[in-house]
Amino acid sequence: QIKLGSNGQGVALGDGTYTGIDIAEVDTSIRMASVAVPFVADIDNISARKILEQPWQGVRLAHRGYTVDTPENTMSAFNNALTLKTKNFETDVQITSDGVYVLLHDSTIDRTSNGTGAINSLTYAQADAFDYGSWFGAAFAGERIPRFDDFCAFADTNECTIFTEIKTSMTESEISGMIDIIVANNLINNCVILSFTPSVLATVRSINANLALGYLSSTLIDINTMLANSYALIAVDVLL
């Protein structure tokens, strides 16, 4: 096992060593971390190579979009990220009770809207009726919950790469549906699927072996898991 590095951040190297990311590299003014996304030496994923052409190089992500002065996981947050010339977007996907994929970090809408309830207990129409901006500031009143298909179309139009976290609650069928949206929007070579759970990543690979995979972790990493599965390692401490 290897440690993530100083300050809880760092990258795993293929020779079993690690290198740390100095906390100074994290631009807290815009909350976009220079996140290490290395690949192990024997990686054979073509899509992953296209996304990160040089091994061990960090990638600057807009985590849930530009979230210093914009509400997280809204289209305003991702539009603002573009103004900062950042085209790598991290986001989270949840599913409504009627099967619509939406951008939302939490399992409920309580924290980031003026409504309440678990997202999987609300239809898309019900979830979309709430305000996802006023909690952050009056200027964002009326912000809607983004559909994942609209977000993917936006990413494709603007030639962006998306880093999409899959929640462990998703079934194989639901994961497959999410991948269908990614493929339909020409993002197969501009997407990294993220999860804290290796079995979720294994499910993604069984559905579409061309998608790049990112293993999220804030604890000790088993390098053998990395090597055996050609996973990228995302140092999640700087993404929280």
Side-chain angles (χ1 to χ4, degrees):
Q1 289 187 319
I2 57 175
K3 196 172 182 179
L4 288 179
S6 62
N7 297 310
Q9 302 143 44
V11 301
L13 301 181
D15 61 2
T17 63
Y18 72 87
T19 181
I21 302 176
D22 186 70
I23 194 68
E25 293 183 29
V26 180
D27 189 342
T28 55
S29 67
I30 57 173
R31 295 184 189 173
M32 292 182 184
S34 297
V35 181
V37 191
F39 291 107
V40 295
D42 66 344
I43 188 167
D44 57 5
N45 188 299
I46 296 174
S47 297
R49 286 190 180 279
K50 288 184 179 181
I51 292 169
L52 297 177
E53 296 178 354
Q54 298 182 24
W56 329 124
Q57 185 169 353
V59 171
R60 182 168 290 252
L61 298 178
H63 185 235
R64 306 181 203 167
Y66 176 74
T67 57
V68 166
D69 62 7
T70 320
E72 68 182 52
N73 275 334
T74 60
M75 292 313 300
S76 290
F78 295 108
N79 270 301
N80 281 357
L82 281 181
T83 68
L84 296 169
K85 303 186 185 306
T86 297
K87 289 193 171 188
N88 298 307
F89 300 152
E90 186 274 347
T91 193
D92 313 273
V93 177
Q94 303 277 3
I95 307 176
T96 63
S97 64
D98 53 345
V100 177
Y101 297 77
V102 295
L103 306 191
L104 186 70
H105 178 271
D106 302 352
S107 60
T108 75
I109 65 171
D110 300 24
R111 181 176 63 86
T112 55
S113 81
N114 63 348
T116 60
I119 188 65
N120 64 7
S121 70
L122 300 170
T123 65
Y124 173 70
Q126 290 171 329
D128 192 48
F130 295 110
D131 180 335
Y132 291 80
S134 292
W135 69 273
F136 192 89
F140 298 99
E143 193 79 37
R144 313 291 284 276
I145 188 169
R147 293 174 60 113
F148 183 59
D149 52 3
D150 291 337
F151 169 75
C152 286
F154 171 82
D156 180 40
T157 297
N158 291 283
E159 299 180 334
C160 300
T161 296
I162 62 172
F163 292 70
T164 305
E165 182 182 346
I166 292 183
K167 304 301 182 181
T168 54
S169 58
M170 277 197 193
T171 66
E172 182 173 350
S173 175
E174 289 169 339
I175 292 173
S176 181
M178 192 189 81
I179 292 173
D180 287 344
I181 295 171
I182 292 167
V183 172
N185 285 279
N186 308 306
L187 294 173
I188 193 72
N189 292 323
N190 291 290
C191 178
V192 180
I193 299 296
L194 309 176
S195 179
F196 284 93
T197 308
S199 61
V200 171
L201 298 178
T203 297
V204 173
R205 181 157 287 164
S206 70
I207 296 170
N208 192 315
N210 291 318
L211 277 165
L213 305 178
Y215 180 30
L216 295 169
S217 181
S218 58
T219 60
L220 295 179
I221 303 301
D222 181 356
I223 191 63
N224 292 321
T225 298
M226 306 288 295
L227 290 168
N229 297 284
S230 298
Y231 291 155
L233 168 62
I234 312 296
V236 74
D237 299 70
V238 292
L239 292 179
L240 296 178

